[in-house]
Structure formats: structure tokens, C-alpha cells
């Protein structure tokens, strides 16, 4: 009778033993499901206990955002989250490829942060407005000047809007209309100031970053109306005021009524009365914990002697009577901000030291300088950052590769500033006990560390003078760091990928073996894909070949290839231009091509070894900006396969950059630029050389833009521009510098050091046997 019970117990023990590893998981799932069901029942019960009046909607629960009926946001609670702009396709029209926006900010409907409007006049445009532009304009992302009547000459670098009437009320009315029409949908905040106001730009920008954009804001120095309601306030125009986008949108429909119904002498009172009468919003001096501090200048005030706390905390100062006072105010406030920054740095360094003592590394983990990243630690000998040696007169690591060159330009200014800063820090630390003066810079070393900035080590020969007048000469080594400053996003003009690219290919007799591959790649990557790109060939004839062109045309084969392409692609025309010259200067060739194309043409100056692809052409379009920037890509040059592979199977089509080649920084054959920019720079070059055409033989297009244009020269490595190995023919008729570049390009394009060493080793092994 006990047998079945014992067997059942044994079976149960076996099952439990098998399930024992999963018991914690099962218990956790059971407990979680039970708690979730219990919480759901509580929530349901709480919802049922609400007491509602008949026909009245339920109030929102505590912590829920206030919403209107049916879950829609209530008034004053607009949803400011990014939204995707919907795409509507008309079914009655044929389908066309959608050109999407280039930036996600545009597609999601983001707004810029701050727009600044400066009210000026014809009398003060060339004085106070210029002072505003030179002191604070470069700190604001967008700033426009508004005036009634404009002077004959607008100062350089100022964007001026003239309304044609000097009446103050009319100027304010037209300015608000203009801001709403042109910028109302692009910015969150609008700051309006006068040209006799000094505004701390950084403080104003910091103010708007701490304010919520979902409220109607009218913020400034609140003033009472004369004989008006004590509760109503307007923002004094002399101290500037801040208006939110939502307030501007609500105010715009009432501006015409305000112009006809409200009579006032002062434009700021008129605007304040308009906002109060139609929107019921009064000016405030503080909002959301942020204060709009102002300071009123007295007559004959000296900013350098102002030490009041009210002055130092002011966002806006008024009235500024002349340009000199504006510059003095800017200097004083810049000094105040600099002192605050140094004090904050010292406090942060002290906190870092205190906290580092509690870390596992202890005080040894504190980097120098405190708060700046430690030096870069290389993982192999190939990652070691080398130091450049210099003296006060010479640099021993020159850009052109020479062992010694004269210290000049920015490098000389950098060395002088570093030495001066080292003396200043030494005197600050040891005075009044010692006072140092420089005798000589014995040794100087510098290197750029991408993790922290520029590092310097100086061996200085100093003369130390004590308080009693005793002097002593000593040598002292100091270390300095110029840390990387705040990274800024430079505003760039908007460009698209729809621009047509005009390829220009110069050809000489030495290039005939590579033309077929170039045309095949051009047809496959641009013509087959219908990319918006055209090709122009430039046949460069030697004078001897040009005389025999009637009997033997050296470019007959290339012209036949072009004819075959035009037959295959009926809509494509590939024109060519014939040039006769002994010295195929890049500038002379571009002069001919430039005259035969419109000024808005985007040129891509290519070489016969270039393999054209759509990826690079798009980068050529995006990196080349008319009247702003030109693009000189650094192509990837494959090594000589004979030296790299030595009879082995070559690499696959996916190039291994670390093994198969290098970026050829000596070549400037490829370039992307607009014809208008080239013509402008070429005109300046012609005025400089005065018909000395032999100078053009020593220059490339890169040199023309570098010396005779104020454009940005963007030179960057381009992995999408890959060239097969070929031994370039260097023309000795060109200048020494251009010939030297070509020779260096050929030598460095042979193979890497490891490949060359292996080839020499194998050759020595073969010779020894």
C-alpha cells in the first residue's frame, strides 16, 4: 500500500528538481502579474469614485496636463514638440521624385532661437548704429537695422531695412509688420532695441534659453503710462524688450487698428498700449525666475569707475550718447565677464581637486591643468604625437618639408604670445618677492594634442630681481597649454544637391592610355544614373602635333570614343575644346574654359585618373558655395600593385585604405568652384601681375583662390575619389614648386614604408643567392 505513495513522492521530487533552476523566474512572473492586476483594479476604482456634475466634463487628474475636451490641448497650451511636415501628392499629376529638405531642422519645423531688431535713424546710422554693429552684432545669430530714411551709403556689414518715413510710430508699426512677415515663422524670440542702447549679447541669449516658449512674453523695463492705469505697464524702448513668437502672432492682426486708434508720441508707449488693449498683456521685468536687469546712465558717466552691483548685472544700459561711450561700455562689460569666467574656473578647479581625492586614483588622478583632459596616450609608436622645435627666429618643422625656415606670420605671433604669457604667469606667482624679465628663449617645443589643445614647453633664460634690487640669471622650464575653446557652428548658406556640375577634363598626349577608363566610369556613374552632370574635354596639343593635325590627329581615338557615347546616349552632348601650348598651365586652361560657360556654372576640374561617382559629385555640390567657399578634395591614391602584392592576388573592389594606398596631399588637380568666384579672383590676379603671363606657369587654381580671393578654401580628404596607380608625367617646363609637387606625389604613391622595406629585403635576398 505504501508503494504507490512512495513512487508519487519520488516523481514529484524529480519534477521539482528539474524545475528548481526556473523557480525564481516563475515566482517573479507570478508576483509581477498579481501586482499589475491589483494596481489596475485600484486605478479603475479611483476613476469610478469621481463625482461629476451633469453635463460637466471631468477635471484633469493631478499631474495630468490641462487639456480641452476630447483630449485636445487647451488654450494657451500649444504643443511645441517637433512635427513632421506631411507630404501631399496630387493624384492628378505625374509622379516626380521628392526633393527632401537637406536639414532635419527644416523638416521637423524647428525654429531659430533669437532675432534682434535695432531701431536707428538717418542721423545716427553711421555713428551709434555702427558702434552697435562693432560691439555686439557678431554675438547675435541674426540682427537687422530698421530706419525710416536711409543715408546715401550704408556702412559695410550691416543689413538695413528702410521704411521711407521717419515718424517714430510709423517706424515701429512697419518694423513689427516686417518682422512678422519675414521672420515670424522662423524664430522663437524677438529682441527689439535702439541704437543708443548697449545690450550684453551673451546675457540676452542666456535669458531666452531659460524662458519657456509656450507663453506670451512681453519682457523689459516696466514703466507706468502717464496718467494711465496703475496696473498697466509698457516696456521702455531705450532698454530693449523681449517679445515671444506667440505674442507676435496674436498681435499682428491688431496692428492696423492700433495705428488708427491709439495716439502716442513715443513708439514704445504706443506698442505697449496696443498689446494691453487688444491682448490684455502688460510688460513685466521678471518672469519664470528670470530678471531683466537694466541700468540708466547718468551724464558724464565713466564706465571704468562703475562698480555698483546694479551696473554689473545689467542686461541693457541706456542712454548711450556717442560711439566712444559705447566702446568704453563694451570694454568694461567684457572685463567684467572675463573676471567672472576666471573666478568660475578657479571655483570649478577647487571642486575638482576636492572630489578627485575621493576617487580610487586619489590626487594622482588630477590632470594638469585641472579640468582639462589629460594628454593623449598612444597605443603604438605610430600614434605618438611629435613635438616641433622652434626658437624666436626659426621653426624646425616647416610646412614645405624643409628642415629650417624663418618664423613668421601667425606662428611668430603665437610664439611671442606664449613667451609673454609665461612671463606674466611667473611674475603673478612670485611677485613681490621676485620679478622676472626675459633674456632669451633657449629652446621651444610645441605640439597639437587633439584631446586638449596646443601644448608648449619653453626653456627660458630669465633675469630675476629681488625686492632689494639684487639680480640673478637663471634658466627655467615652463609648460603651457592653449586649450581648445568652445566649439561654434559657423552659419553657412543653404545649398542643395540639384545643382548641375560641369566636369572639365584637360587631356595631353601622355594621358591617352587612361581616357577609355575615365569615359567608361563617367558613363556608368553619371549617364546611366541620369545624374545632373555634363562633361567638357580640353585637348591640349603640343605645337608640333597641332601642325600635323590635318594628317595625324593624336586625339582622333578619343574623339571616336566621344562619338560612340553620343550615339549610345542620344540626349547627351560632350563638347571639346582644342588648345595649342607647350606649357599646359592649369590657370591658362581654366581661363579658356571659363569664358565659354555662364558665370553661375559649378565646375569640377578633374584629372584623367579620376573615377567619377555620384557620391563625390553630391559632396562637390554641397561643399562648394557661391561667393563663400571652394572645395579642393584630397583624392585617395592607390599604391603600385607590383610593390604591394608582389605577384599575389590583388585586393577586392572594396579598397583597404590602410594597406592599398594613401591620400595624396601633394596633388591639387581636382577642384570644385563656381565660375563667378574664379572670374573674381582671376580679375584680381590680372591686376597684380600686369600682363606677365609667365607668372601663370608657376600657379595652379588653388594658388589663385588662396592669394586673390577672400573665400573659404575647404581642403579635406575624399574617400569617394579613388585613383588607380599611374606614374604621372611631370612637366619640367612648369615652375620648380609645381614640378617638385608632382615628383613627391609620384614617389609617395609607390608604396608604404613596410611594402618598400619588404621589396628591398626580397631584392637583397635574391642578390645574395
Amino acid at each position: 500500500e505504501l508503494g504507490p505513495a512512495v513512487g508519487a513522492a519520488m516523481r514529484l521530487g524529480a519534477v521539482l528538481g528539474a524545475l528548481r533552476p526556473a523557480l525564481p523566474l516563475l515566482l517573479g512572473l507570478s508576483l509581477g502579474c498579481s501586482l499589475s492586476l491589483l494596481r489596475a483594479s485600484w486605478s479603475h476604482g479611483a476613476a469610478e469614485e469621481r463625482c461629476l456634475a451633469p453635463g460637466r466634463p471631468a477635471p484633469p487628474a493631478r499631474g495630468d496636463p490641462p487639456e480641452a475636451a476630447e483630449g485636445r490641448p487647451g488654450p494657451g497650451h500649444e504643443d511645441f514638440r517637433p512635427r513632421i511636415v506631411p507630404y501631399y501628392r496630387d493624384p492628378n499629376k505625374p509622379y516626380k521624385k521628392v526633393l527632401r529638405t537637406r536639414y532635419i531642422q527644416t523638416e521637423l519645423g524647428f525654429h531659430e532661437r533669437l532675432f534682434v531688431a535695432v531701431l536707428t535713424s538717418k542721423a545716427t546710422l553711421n555713428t551709434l548704429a555702427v558702434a552697435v554693429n562693432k560691439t555686439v552684432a557678431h554675438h547675435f545669430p541674426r540682427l537687422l537695422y530698421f530706419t525710416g530714411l536711409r543715408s546715401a551709403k550704408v556702412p559695410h556689414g550691416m543689413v538695413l531695412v528702410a521704411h521711407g518715413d521717419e515718424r517714430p510710430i510709423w517706424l515701429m508699426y512697419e518694423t513689427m509688420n516686417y518682422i512678422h512677415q519675414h521672420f515670424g515663422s522662423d524664430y522663437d524670440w524677438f529682441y527689439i532695441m535702439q541704437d543708443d542702447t548697449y545690450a550684453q549679447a551673451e546675457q540676452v541669449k542666456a535669458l531666452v534659453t531659460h524662458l519657456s516658449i509656450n507663453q506670451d512674453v512681453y519682457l523689459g523695463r516696466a514703466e507706468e503710462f502717464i496718467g494711465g492705469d496703475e496696473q498697466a505697464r509698457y516696456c521702455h524702448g531705450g532698454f530693449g524688450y523681449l517679445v515671444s513668437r506667440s505674442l507676435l502672432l496674436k498681435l499682428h492682426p491688431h496692428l492696423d487698428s492700433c495705428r488708427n486708434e491709439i495716439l502716442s508720441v513715443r513708439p514704445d508707449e504706443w506698442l505697449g498700449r496696443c498689446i494691453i488693449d487688444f491682448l490684455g498683456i502688460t510688460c513685466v521685468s521678471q518672469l519664470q525666475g528670470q530678471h531683466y536687469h537694466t541700468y540708466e546712465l547718468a551724464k558724464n558717466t565713466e564706465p571704468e569707475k562703475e562698480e555698483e552691483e546694479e551696473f554689473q548685472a545689467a542686461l541693457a544700459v541706456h542712454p548711450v550718447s556717442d560711439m566712444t561711450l559705447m566702446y568704453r561700455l563694451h570694454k568694461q562689460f567684457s572685463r567684467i565677464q572675463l573676471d567672472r569666467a576666471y573666478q568660475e574656473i578657479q571655483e570649478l578647479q577647487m571642486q575638482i581637486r576636492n572630489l578627485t581625492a575621493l576617487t580610487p586614483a586619489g590626487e594622482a588622478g588630477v590632470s594638469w591643468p585641472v579640468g582639462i583632459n589629460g594628454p593623449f596616450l598612444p597605443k603604438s609608436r605610430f600614434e605618438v604625437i611629435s613635438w616641433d622645435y622652434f626658437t624666436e627666429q626659426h621653426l624646425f618643422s616647416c610646412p614645405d618639408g624643409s628642415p629650417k625656415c624663418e618664423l613668421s606670420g601667425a606662428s611668430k605671433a603665437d610664439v611671442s604670445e606664449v613667451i609673454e604669457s609665461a612671463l606674466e604667469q611667473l611674475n603673478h606667482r612670485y611677485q613681490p618677492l621676485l620679478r622676472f624679465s626675459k633674456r632669451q628663449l633657449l629652446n621651444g617645443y610645441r605640439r597639437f594634442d587633439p584631446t586638449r589643445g596646443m601644448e608648449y614647453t619653453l626653456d627660458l633664460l630669465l633675469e630675476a630681481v629681488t625686492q632689494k634690487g639684487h639680480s640673478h640669471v637663471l634658466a627655467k622650464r615652463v609648460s603651457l597649454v592653449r586649450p581648445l575653446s568652445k566649439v561654434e557652428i559657423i552659419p553657412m548658406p543653404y545649398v542643395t544637391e540639384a545643382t548641375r556640375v560641369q566636369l572639365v577634363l584637360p587631356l595631353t598626349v601622355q594621358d591617352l592610355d587612361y581616357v577609355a577608363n575615365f569615359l567608361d566610369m563617367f558613363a556608368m556613374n553619371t549617364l546611366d544614373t541620369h545624374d545632373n552632370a555634363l562633361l567638357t574635354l580640353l585637348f591640349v596639343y603640343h605645337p608640333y602635333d597641332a601642325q600635323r593635325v590635318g594628317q595625324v590627329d593624336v586625339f582622333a581615338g578619343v574623339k571616336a570614343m566621344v562619338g560612340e557615347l553620343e550615339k549610345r546616349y542620344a540626349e547627351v552632348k560632350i563638347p571639346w575644346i582644342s588648345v595649342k601650348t607647350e606649357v599646359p598651365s592649369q590657370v591658362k586652361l581654366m581661363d579658356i574654359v571659363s569664358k565659354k560657360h555662364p558665370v553661375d556654372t559649378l565646375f569640377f576640374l578633374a584629372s584623367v585618373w579620376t573615377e567619377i561617382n555620384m557620391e563625390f559629385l553630391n559632396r562637390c555640390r554641397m561643399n562648394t558655395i557661391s561667393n563663400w567657399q571652394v572645395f579642393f578634395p584630397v583624392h585617395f591614391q592607390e599604391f603600385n600593385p607590383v610593390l604591394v602584392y608582389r605577384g599575389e592576388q590583388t585586393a577586392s573592389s572594396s579598397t583597404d585604405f590602410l594597406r592599398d594606398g594613401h591620400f595624396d596631399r601633394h596633388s591639387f588637380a581636382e577642384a570644385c568652384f563656381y565660375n563667378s568666384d574664379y572670374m573674381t579672383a582671376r580679375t584680381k590676379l590680372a591686376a597684380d601681375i600686369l600682363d606677365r603671363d609667365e607668372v601663370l606657369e608657376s600657379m595652379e587654381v588653388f594658388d589663385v583662390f588662396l592669394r586673390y580671393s577672400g573665400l573659404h578654401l575647404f581642403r579635406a580628404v575624399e574617400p569617394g575619389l579613388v585613383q588607380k596607380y599611374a606614374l604621372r608625367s611631370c612637366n619640367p617646363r612648369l615652375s620648380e614648386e609645381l614640378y617638385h609637387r608632382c615628383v613627391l606625389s609620384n614617389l609617395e604613391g609607390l608604396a608604404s614604408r613596410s611594402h618598400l622595406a619588404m621589396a628591398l629585403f626580397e631584392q637583397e635576398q635574391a642578390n645574395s643567392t
Side-chain angles (χ1 to χ4, degrees), residues 39 59 133 172 229 277 342 414 433 518 563 672 679 703 730 755:
R39 182 181 181 278
N133 192 64
M172 177 61 70
D229 185 5
D277 290 350
Y342 283 137
D414 177 55
L433 300 178
F518 177 88
C672 295
M679 294 171 65
D703 302 311
C730 301
H755 293 135

Side-chain angles (χ1 to χ4, degrees), residues 30-83:
S30 302
L31 183 60
C33 294
S34 302
L35 290 177
S36 62
L37 292 174
L38 184 61
R39 182 181 181 278
S41 62
W42 284 351
S43 302
H44 183 67
E48 291 178 345
E49 290 176 2
R50 292 184 180 182
C51 298
L52 303 177
R56 183 173 298 177
R62 180 176 300 178
D64 294 343
E67 294 182 344
E70 301 180 4
R72 294 188 300 270
H77 295 278
E78 182 181 352
D79 189 358
F80 285 91
R81 289 177 298 178
R83 66 187 187 282

Side-chain angles (χ1 to χ4, degrees), residues 484-548:
L484 294 172
S485 59
K486 180 182 178 181
V487 178
E488 296 184 12
I489 299 177
I490 301 176
M492 300 288 285
Y494 181 76
V495 292
T496 66
E497 296 178 351
T499 308
R500 172 175 293 178
V501 179
Q502 177 66 59
L503 281 77
V504 178
L505 179 64
L507 292 175
T508 61
V509 178
Q510 292 80 9
D511 304 331
L512 295 179
D513 295 338
Y514 310 98
V515 180
N517 181 67
F518 177 88
L519 294 177
D520 290 342
M521 297 300 296
F522 173 75
M524 180 175 63
N525 294 329
T526 59
L527 301 182
D528 291 343
T529 59
H530 302 283
D531 192 271
N532 194 9
L534 301 178
L535 174 63
T536 297
L537 299 178
L538 199 62
F539 297 138
V540 183
Y541 286 89
H542 190 273
Y544 175 75
D545 296 329
Q547 294 176 358
R548 303 172 56 249

Side-chain angles (χ1 to χ4, degrees), residues 435-658:
R435 181 170 52 87
F436 293 96
S437 60
K438 179 181 72 72
R439 282 284 190 89
Q440 182 185 355
L441 173 65
L442 300 177
N443 302 294
Y445 309 89
R446 68 179 180 182
R447 70 173 183 177
F448 178 73
D449 190 332
T451 63
R452 54 197 264 129
M454 186 70 77
E455 298 180 345
Y456 304 87
T457 299
L458 306 178
D459 292 330
L460 295 171
L461 187 63
L462 303 171
E463 181 179 0
V465 181
T466 64
Q467 288 179 304
K468 296 182 179 181
H470 302 292
S471 63
H472 180 69
V473 178
L474 72 159
K476 190 172 183 65
R477 167 166 287 192
V478 295
S479 298
L480 301 95
V481 175
R482 191 193 297 270
L484 294 172
S485 59
K486 180 182 178 181
V487 178
E488 296 184 12
I489 299 177
I490 301 176
M492 300 288 285
Y494 181 76
V495 292
T496 66
E497 296 178 351
T499 308
R500 172 175 293 178
V501 179
Q502 177 66 59
L503 281 77
V504 178
L505 179 64
L507 292 175
T508 61
V509 178
Q510 292 80 9
D511 304 331
L512 295 179
D513 295 338
Y514 310 98
V515 180
N517 181 67
F518 177 88
L519 294 177
D520 290 342
M521 297 300 296
F522 173 75
M524 180 175 63
N525 294 329
T526 59
L527 301 182
D528 291 343
T529 59
H530 302 283
D531 192 271
N532 194 9
L534 301 178
L535 174 63
T536 297
L537 299 178
L538 199 62
F539 297 138
V540 183
Y541 286 89
H542 190 273
Y544 175 75
D545 296 329
Q547 294 176 358
R548 303 172 56 249
V549 71
Q551 295 80 23
V552 179
D553 188 356
V554 293
F555 293 106
V558 181
K559 296 177 181 178
M561 297 179 195
V562 172
E564 291 295 329
L565 282 179
E566 293 180 344
K567 289 181 182 179
R568 192 191 317 172
Y569 304 94
E571 71 282 359
V572 175
K573 296 296 180 182
I574 304 178
W576 66 71
I577 303 173
S578 299
V579 181
K580 181 180 72 172
T581 179
E582 292 185 4
V583 184
S585 169
Q586 197 180 52
V587 179
K588 287 184 177 180
L589 299 180
M590 272 309 307
D591 287 345
I592 299 173
V593 177
S594 175
K595 295 176 182 178
K596 297 182 179 294
H597 290 84
V599 294
D600 59 346
T601 303
L602 173 58
F603 284 126
F604 168 45
L605 185 58
S607 63
V608 72
W609 304 282
T610 305
E611 295 184 358
I612 307 299
N613 58 72
M614 186 183 300
E615 178 186 359
F616 167 73
L617 290 179
N618 285 334
R619 275 200 283 272
C620 178
R621 297 181 178 103
M622 300 304 297
N623 292 327
T624 310
I625 305 173
S626 179
N627 199 30
W628 185 271
Q629 179 173 285
V630 292
F631 179 42
F632 287 87
V634 181
H635 67 255
F636 183 81
Q637 176 68 54
E638 293 186 357
F639 287 142
N640 189 341
V642 176
L643 294 174
V644 173
Y645 304 109
R646 300 184 303 280
E648 301 176 1
Q649 185 177 2
T650 59
S652 61
S653 58
S654 59
T655 306
D656 183 0
F657 286 173
L658 299 180

Side-chain angles (χ1 to χ4, degrees), residues 65-100:
E67 294 182 344
E70 301 180 4
R72 294 188 300 270
H77 295 278
E78 182 181 352
D79 189 358
F80 285 91
R81 289 177 298 178
R83 66 187 187 282
I84 297 179
V85 180
Y87 166 68
Y88 171 74
R89 177 188 172 189
D90 191 350
N92 300 323
K93 295 182 179 180
Y95 173 74
K96 187 173 65 174
K97 182 180 178 181
V98 180
L99 182 62
R100 299 190 60 177

